[in-house]
Amino acid sequence: MRTVDVSAVKKASRRSDSDLLAWWREARFGLFIHWGLYAIPAGVWRGKRVPYIGEWMMFREKIPVATYEKIAARFDPKRFDAKAWVKLAKDAGQRYLVITAKHHDGFAMYDSASNPYNVVQRTPFARDPMRALARECRKQGITFCFYYSQDLDWHHPDGAWNTWDYDEKKKDPDRYLREKVLPQLRELLTNYGPIGMIWFDTPITLSKTRSARIRRFVKKIQPQCLVSGRIGHGLGDYSLPRDNFLPPARLKGDWETCATLNHTWGFKKHDHAWKDPQTLITTLVDLASKGVNYLLNIGPDANGVVPAPSARALRAIGAWLKVNGAALYGSSPSPFPYEFPWGRITTKGRTLYFHFFQKPPRSFQLRGLKTAVKSVSALADGKTKFAFQESTDDATGTPVLTIDFKGFKVTRPVTVVAVTLKGDPAVVPGTLQQPDDSLTLIGPMARVGSDAKQPAMRMGGNGLTENWRHPEDWLEWTFTVLTPGTHEVTVVTTHQHLEPWSGGHTLRLTCGDQSLRRITKRERILPGLRSEYFPQIATRFGRMRFDRPGTYTLRLQATRLNLKKSGKTYYSDGGMQFCEIQLRPV
Ligand code: FHN
């Protein structure tokens, strides 16, 4: 086995902390690979389709260790081709690759000297696929990273969550760390060259001390190696929201959303719910505009074959990135904290990239950009220039940029226009009414307050409210109306689709002398990207009128919270997860 000179790795990588994330920020898009023994049952156990994600088979069916171990004897992926997998990531335009070195089933998919339950010792394949992948990644210029399940381990007697083979009371988490996690991390960090990141996951039972110990251990061996947010206790180098989560707004700090191409991570033969390239490209853009990396997963089958629909979708994203990559790689989020009805914005220095999800009107308006514009051109050909005009809305003083999109050519599914500025981008800070007269009040732009001394509710880093469990707490927005009129008011809340929705709360909305009161009901789920895994549950509240142009203040207070029905889970505090208020002209 090839070993790396650790002192050389350390020396080469002694960079300041802020530089550590530079490659990852530049990358914006990565390939996740879930591959393990679970690819053999592929979602079916003893003739029965097992619900939920494929790699959770052992847990869902409470398969005894002795039985599950036998699957290894059938693992012989004849068509595994490291070069082709890495080439697929390349073709997709992905810049890093994260693969499951050990998932929750405890099986090491690499040559682990410290634990015999691994792919070399227990399978007829008897090779280390990670060696080949590490080599190929280096050759093809992709940053190689490992996924490692540091808490859940259903194989080790002291690992978390196997209570059908092992007595919970006898578990010693420190022994698990000592015997399995740390020795295996040492192997992963010394035998495969420089590792971009260890992607830790599901820190459900880990104490802060143990998370910190694992982090220190990694950094001591490879100081430049990133540690994912799911190391737990906020100790990661960047943050992760829930799986497949698309935030409602731009986030503060560094984030990554990991996502599935169908509904599972590990291969399942009957999951054909493939996302189409249009959805995936739009999601990539949406996330980049909010400062979030996209880590998109494939689950190769037991033979080592990447499902054809996954490969097709990834290549379609790559084709789009070939033309439009300048607007994505190394981009910063939009200077505007909110989404636009027409698409999204990414930023690179003094250039703003407008990503249109549909063809814009010939006379297109952007409100709120304070910096003067130098030029507007199509990204796809770099030649087509568009005329523009800068003005100010008389009544509110809002800057308005009007672009004449004569000759606009659509590139499916997202067309990018580069807007070069004369200075650094600066925008009007509050919420503005959009040219289609709509207004959207998002959580992260609200003031959080309370009739009590201190609000118990807070805005979570992921853009949703946390701990909204007290009727004294409220959110308040100030926004600017340019075109007076009457608006239909809708409140949108959400939940993770497999967990209970916290609804039935009585909410009061007040704006000047207007007041609306309703109970949140699942009246309809808004269509769109975000709803697939986090249904956007809309409740209509009635109408509000804004009689004159100018600024308004609106307060949202939950006067009665219905918390009995909404259960707390490992992830959710059971309170109302508020997304936004939509004000739409009638
Ligand atoms: O339980 C795991 C799951 O199997 C999968 O690995 C995902 C990927 O983000 N992480 C956990 C659930 O969040």
Side-chain angles (χ1 to χ4, degrees):
M1 177 187 291
R2 184 185 169 277
T3 55
V4 75
D5 173 358
V6 174
S7 62
V9 170
K10 276 188 193 168
K11 212 165 140 202
S13 60
R14 221 164 262 143
R15 289 180 263 154
S16 77
D17 265 7
S18 63
D19 286 346
L20 282 184
L21 282 156
W23 70 265
W24 179 88
R25 289 193 190 116
E26 171 69 31
R28 283 277 167 247
F29 187 31
L31 179 67
F32 213 177
I33 306 181
H34 277 68
W35 199 43
L37 297 183
Y38 38 80
I40 293 177
V44 179
W45 190 248
R46 306 222 151 111
K48 185 184 88 183
R49 285 184 179 191
V50 179
Y52 203 53
I53 41 187
E55 68 284 1
W56 274 68
M57 166 77 73
M58 182 176 176
F59 181 86
R60 294 292 296 211
E61 291 298 297
K62 305 289 179 283
I63 303 173
V65 163
T67 310
Y68 192 87
E69 276 188 341
K70 291 196 185 112
I71 301 175
R74 291 195 278 141
F75 190 78
D76 195 9
K78 294 262 190 293
R79 292 178 62 192
F80 168 67
D81 181 346
K83 190 172 170 188
W85 286 14
V86 177
K87 167 93 169 30
L88 177 60
K90 261 313 251 205
D91 290 348
Q94 290 162 313
R95 299 274 174 95
Y96 59 112
L97 182 156
V98 184
I99 181 158
T100 45
K102 186 205 78 158
H103 204 267
H104 310 332
D105 65 0
F107 187 72
M109 285 295 289
Y110 73 97
D111 186 7
S112 173
S114 65
N115 191 304
Y117 191 48
N118 70 62
V119 67
V120 177
Q121 294 188 44
R122 290 288 176 89
T123 74
F125 185 59
R127 271 161 45 206
D128 182 346
M130 302 302 164
R131 257 182 95 186
L133 284 166
R135 191 181 332 110
E136 273 307 322
C137 280
R138 258 195 309 278
K139 261 200 209 157
Q140 299 191 42
I142 298 267
T143 304
F144 186 58
C145 311
F146 284 121
Y147 169 107
Y148 191 89
S149 177
Q150 80 282 20
D151 187 17
L152 301 194
D153 189 309
W154 307 319
H155 186 264
H156 193 282
D158 295 308
W161 276 30
N162 181 341
T163 48
W164 56 98
D165 285 298
Y166 308 120
D167 183 351
E168 184 86 56
K169 290 190 281 305
K170 292 197 181 133
K171 285 183 191 254
D172 176 350
D174 285 318
R175 191 164 51 201
Y176 165 59
L177 240 59
R178 231 176 20 248
E179 282 183 0
K180 192 159 184 184
V181 177
L182 301 182
Q184 291 204 323
L185 286 175
R186 182 183 298 286
E187 292 162 355
L188 294 171
L189 289 161
T190 47
N191 296 339
Y192 300 89
I195 300 300
M197 141 162 64
I198 304 280
W199 208 97
F200 292 108
D201 199 9
T202 40
I204 290 173
T205 73
L206 271 190
S207 67
K208 186 166 184 182
T209 315
R210 293 191 187 102
S211 293
R213 184 168 170 208
I214 298 173
R215 183 191 159 92
R216 272 198 310 276
F217 189 84
V218 171
K219 297 286 179 179
K220 206 164 167 204
I221 303 176
Q222 289 204 29
Q224 89 291 0
C225 179
L226 298 180
V227 165
S228 78
R230 292 196 190 156
I231 183 77
H233 305 281
L235 293 172
D237 289 311
Y238 66 88
S239 309
L240 279 145
R242 304 281 303 273
D243 296 345
N244 284 305
F245 180 74
L246 304 180
R250 188 185 69 192
L251 303 182
K252 286 200 187 89
D254 294 294
W255 289 79
E256 179 189 63
T257 284
C258 59
T260 49
L261 274 167
N262 45 357
H263 293 317
T264 183
W265 302 91
F267 180 71
K268 264 178 99 166
K269 54 185 150 213
H270 50 268
D271 184 343
H272 304 298
W274 302 104
K275 293 172 184 104
D276 58 79
Q278 171 170 346
T279 304
L280 297 165
I281 293 166
T282 316
T283 304
L284 173 66
V285 167
D286 173 60
L287 290 171
S289 77
K290 293 166 181 170
V292 184
N293 275 19
Y294 194 25
L295 182 62
L296 193 52
N297 182 72
I298 55 171
D301 71 13
N303 221 354
V305 175
V306 176
S310 303
R312 267 200 302 276
L314 287 176
R315 290 196 181 103
I317 304 174
W320 182 86
L321 276 168
K322 254 205 164 109
V323 179
N324 300 287
L328 248 295
Y329 299 120
S331 66
S332 314
S334 167
F336 295 89
Y338 43 82
E339 300 176 347
F340 293 98
W342 49 265
R344 303 288 184 270
I345 294 179
T346 55
T347 312
K348 251 195 209 170
R350 291 183 169 184
T351 303
L352 299 183
Y353 294 100
F354 291 16
H355 299 253
F356 289 99
F357 294 170
Q358 65 259 317
K359 192 174 178 186
R362 162 98 188 246
S363 174
F364 167 83
Q365 260 196 20
L366 179 85
R367 293 172 175 173
L369 178 63
K370 296 209 268 187
T371 320
V373 171
K374 210 169 167 182
S375 68
V376 180
S377 58
L379 181 67
D381 65 7
K383 291 194 299 263
T384 313
K385 300 268 180 228
F386 299 107
F388 63 91
Q389 198 194 351
E390 290 158 295
S391 58
T392 306
D393 175 66
D394 288 342
T396 62
T398 307
V400 179
L401 168 69
T402 308
I403 304 174
D404 178 358
F405 275 135
K406 181 170 182 251
F408 186 96
K409 276 200 210 74
V410 171
T411 314
R412 296 226 178 270
V414 177
T415 316
V416 185
V417 168
V419 177
T420 312
L421 308 179
K422 291 185 179 158
D424 294 337
V427 305
V428 170
T431 303
L432 293 174
Q433 187 179 28
Q434 293 301 306
D436 66 358
D437 288 347
S438 69
L439 277 148
T440 305
L441 310 179
I442 55 174
M445 292 189 75
R447 286 180 294 283
V448 181
S450 182
D451 295 343
K453 261 198 198 135
Q454 285 286 332
M457 179 235 298
R458 55 188 174 265
M459 270 318 302
N462 63 0
L464 301 179
T465 49
E466 284 175 3
N467 202 37
W468 198 336
R469 303 174 61 82
H470 301 273
E472 296 84 9
D473 295 349
W474 43 259
L475 296 178
E476 197 174 80
W477 294 262
T478 301
F479 55 92
T480 305
V481 170
L482 287 83
T483 313
T486 302
H487 284 68
E488 186 78 48
V489 182
T490 301
V491 173
V492 184
T493 63
T494 193
H495 66 122
Q496 204 272 356
H497 68 131
L498 297 173
E499 291 164 10
W501 173 62
S502 175
H505 310 299
T506 308
L507 305 188
R508 188 180 60 210
L509 288 165
T510 27
C511 182
D513 55 8
Q514 303 179 75
S515 179
L516 300 172
R517 186 192 292 264
R518 288 280 183 287
I519 297 175
T520 54
K521 288 199 186 78
R522 199 189 298 265
E523 278 174 3
R524 79 197 157 104
I525 311 262
L526 299 180
L529 295 178
R530 272 191 253 149
S531 274
E532 186 155 23
Y533 297 95
F534 292 81
Q536 303 290 296
I537 299 177
T539 312
R540 262 191 309 269
F541 270 63
R543 291 178 175 186
M544 276 193 173
R545 187 164 168 76
F546 308 107
D547 287 327
R548 45 164 189 86
T551 55
Y552 291 79
T553 298
L554 185 147
R555 180 179 288 192
L556 168 66
Q557 190 153 12
T559 53
R560 200 185 64 81
L561 282 144
N562 171 43
L563 296 172
K564 271 171 276 146
K565 287 194 200 129
S566 52
K568 290 191 182 193
T569 69
Y570 279 103
Y571 295 103
S572 153
D573 54 42
M576 179 170 72
Q577 293 191 67
F578 168 84
C579 293
E580 62 192 27
I581 299 174
Q582 300 187 343
L583 303 160
R584 300 290 178 259
V586 289

